[in-house]
Amino acid sequence: MAVFTLSAVDVPKLMLVQQDCYSEELVESAAVMAARIAACSQTCWGYFIEQQMAGYLLAYPSVLGSITPLAAAFPLYQNANCLYLHDMAISVDFRGQSLAPELLKHATAETEKMGLQALALVAVQGAEGYWAKQGFVKEMNITTEQQAILDTYLPEIACYMTKQLRSEPKL
């Protein structure tokens, strides 16, 4: 069992996990996933058990308050202050083995190594409670523009959440 950086060769396995975990409306294309991994490979990880992808986390350095639309490319920021956890999924076959907390722990350690001060995400499919238990807080004051982007995630089940890791960026 180990966390590895993803590459294009992992996309078919990633797609199987994604389709296993999300409603049809939230499944993003293989082309989008491959482009994200190519653009931000250092922050896209897979959890593998005996050559099988048990879960994954696709993330990128971002700016607090900035929400990526569903199925969009990861934007690149020069002034990043957080790691945006765009998509984390654990295959149904591997749930209950604490893999999600392991991926989150890995992402948190990498975020700190990058000198970023926070994590951010959009919680979907009723996951707000899970993320709150991990220390994330729902952000209530987002801009109209960001709310419109958040609405691409099916607004009745999506919310923007953040978790502060430290108050000052590492120099």
Side-chain angles (χ1 to χ4, degrees):
M1 298 189 290
V3 176
F4 292 99
T5 302
L6 295 175
S7 69
V9 72
D10 298 310
V11 172
K13 292 177 182 178
L14 182 150
M15 294 305 295
L16 292 174
V17 174
Q18 181 186 208
Q19 291 162 357
D20 190 34
C21 296
Y22 291 111
S23 64
E24 186 178 328
E25 299 84 8
L26 294 176
V27 171
E28 298 174 290
S29 74
V32 167
M33 297 307 213
R36 289 174 176 164
I37 291 168
C40 299
S41 63
Q42 73 281 6
T43 54
C44 293
W45 304 287
Y47 200 109
F48 292 85
I49 299 175
E50 298 178 6
Q51 306 296 320
Q52 186 174 358
M53 183 182 288
Y56 67 86
L57 172 57
L58 302 185
Y60 67 93
S62 185
V63 175
L64 285 169
S66 180
I67 301 169
T68 300
L70 189 64
F74 287 168
L76 301 176
Y77 293 98
Q78 296 299 318
N79 59 337
N81 61 5
C82 72
L83 187 69
Y84 185 93
L85 311 180
H86 179 76
D87 186 6
M88 183 165 75
I90 304 298
S91 173
V92 173
D93 295 338
F94 292 97
R95 292 195 185 150
Q97 298 180 40
S98 298
L99 303 186
E102 284 298 315
L103 278 170
L104 182 58
K105 181 178 169 183
H106 183 82
T108 301
E110 293 299 314
T111 301
E112 291 173 340
K113 285 181 194 174
M114 289 186 279
L116 303 175
Q117 65 188 36
L119 299 169
L121 57 84
V122 171
V124 297
Q125 294 186 167
E128 181 180 347
Y130 170 80
W131 291 110
K133 289 177 186 174
Q134 308 308 313
F136 286 78
V137 176
K138 182 177 181 177
E139 295 295 329
M140 304 303 288
N141 297 318
I142 60 175
T143 68
T144 303
E145 177 185 335
Q146 294 301 330
Q147 183 61 51
I149 294 170
L150 185 61
D151 290 346
T152 67
Y153 288 86
L154 306 174
E156 68 276 12
I157 60 168
C159 67
Y160 181 66
M161 302 179 79
T162 62
K163 178 180 179 178
Q164 290 294 322
L165 300 179
R166 63 177 175 274
S167 57
E168 293 297 321
K170 192 186 277 185
L171 300 176

